[in-house]
Amino acid sequence: MKLLGLDISTTVTAYTLVDTERPENDLVVKYEGIHLSKKKSLYDKAEIIKETFQNLSQDHTIDRIYAEESLQAFRRGLSSAKTLSTLTRFNGIVCYLAQGIFRAEVDLINVIHARSKLCIKLDRKSNIKTKDQVLSWALSNPSLTNIEWPEKTLKSGPRAGLTVKDPSCYDIADAAVMSLYGMISQN
C-alpha cells in the first residue's frame, strides 16, 4: 500500500511517499520539499503543487493521503488571523488537488496526535525548537534511512561556504510523520 504524507505550507510544501510492502529501512519511495516562497499568489503556488502531483501520479498509485490539519489556534509570535486564514485556504486547495489527482481519500491529522502515535517525545522545556526535535527524530528513524536529506551551501555571511541541511528538511520530516502515522493507523 502506498501512503502519501503531506506537510502543507505556503513557503515549502513537502511530501513523503511510503510503500508499506517494502522493508522497514527502505519504506520511503519518494520525497520532496517544494519551495513556493518565490510565488506570491496562492493560485500560482497551487499550480506548482498541481504539476508536482500530476508528475508523481504518473509513476505511483497512491492508496491514501495523510495531511497535517491546518492550525486551529493562534500561536504566540507566529500566527495572525490573516495567516491562519491563508494557511487554511491553501491547505484546502492542496488537499482538493491531491484527492482529485490521486483519486485517494485525504485524512486530515492533528500533528500532535500523529507525533504521539509515533512515540515522538518532545521536550517542551528545552531551548531546542520543536521543528529541530522532529527533524532529529526523523534523522535517526530506521524507517527513514533511505532519505538523502537536501543540503545547501551558504553563499554569504560568516558561515559562507558551509554546507547545511536545507530548510525543506523540516517539512520533509513533518510529511514523513504523516505518512508513517498513516502506516501505523492502517494496522
Side-chain angles (χ1 to χ4, degrees):
M1 179 175 270
K2 287 188 179 173
L3 308 174
L4 185 67
L6 297 176
D7 176 58
I8 302 167
S9 168
T10 56
T11 306
V12 176
T13 290
Y15 69 84
T16 304
L17 176 62
V18 298
D19 185 342
T20 62
E21 306 298 318
R22 293 172 67 160
E24 182 188 9
N25 65 345
D26 195 33
L27 284 174
V28 179
V29 175
K30 193 162 174 80
Y31 56 91
E32 182 178 5
I34 308 158
H35 293 269
L36 302 169
S37 58
K38 292 187 178 170
K39 299 291 183 183
K40 296 298 176 207
S41 159
L42 281 186
Y43 304 107
D44 290 340
K45 293 172 190 274
E47 194 59 38
I48 293 169
I49 299 298
K50 179 180 173 185
E51 290 172 18
T52 301
F53 285 175
Q54 287 171 332
N55 291 335
L56 187 62
S57 74
Q58 291 175 4
D59 298 326
H60 303 282
T61 300
I62 309 299
D63 297 298
R64 196 141 186 154
I65 303 163
Y66 296 88
E68 277 190 27
E69 67 183 8
S70 54
L71 289 174
Q72 303 296 311
F74 295 104
R75 287 176 38 206
R76 188 171 29 106
L78 295 176
S79 55
S80 65
K82 183 178 180 182
T83 300
L84 284 177
S85 172
T86 301
L87 288 173
T88 299
R89 285 177 37 224
F90 193 61
N91 193 305
I93 292 167
V94 172
C95 289
Y96 176 78
L97 289 171
Q99 188 160 338
I101 292 168
F102 297 117
R103 301 282 179 224
E105 188 174 336
V106 177
D107 289 306
L108 294 175
I109 308 300
N110 178 288
V111 68
I112 294 169
H113 175 71
R115 290 176 189 153
S116 172
K117 287 289 186 186
L118 292 170
C119 300
I120 300 173
K121 305 287 186 216
L122 298 178
D123 183 356
R124 301 277 179 213
K125 295 179 182 178
S126 172
N127 290 334
I128 301 171
K129 295 179 181 176
T130 297
K131 65 182 187 173
D132 289 314
Q133 292 182 55
V134 172
L135 180 58
S136 178
W137 170 86
L139 290 169
S140 64
N141 188 297
S143 298
L144 306 175
T145 56
N146 62 336
I147 291 181
E148 292 180 23
W149 297 93
E151 295 180 333
K152 71 176 192 172
T153 302
L154 301 176
K155 294 183 178 168
S156 61
R159 301 186 318 155
L162 183 67
T163 300
V164 297
K165 297 269 184 250
D166 186 85
S168 67
C169 290
Y170 297 114
D171 305 286
I172 293 169
D174 285 338
V177 167
M178 289 294 111
S179 56
L180 294 179
Y181 167 84
M183 194 174 85
I184 64 166
S185 71
Q186 292 291 315
N187 295 333

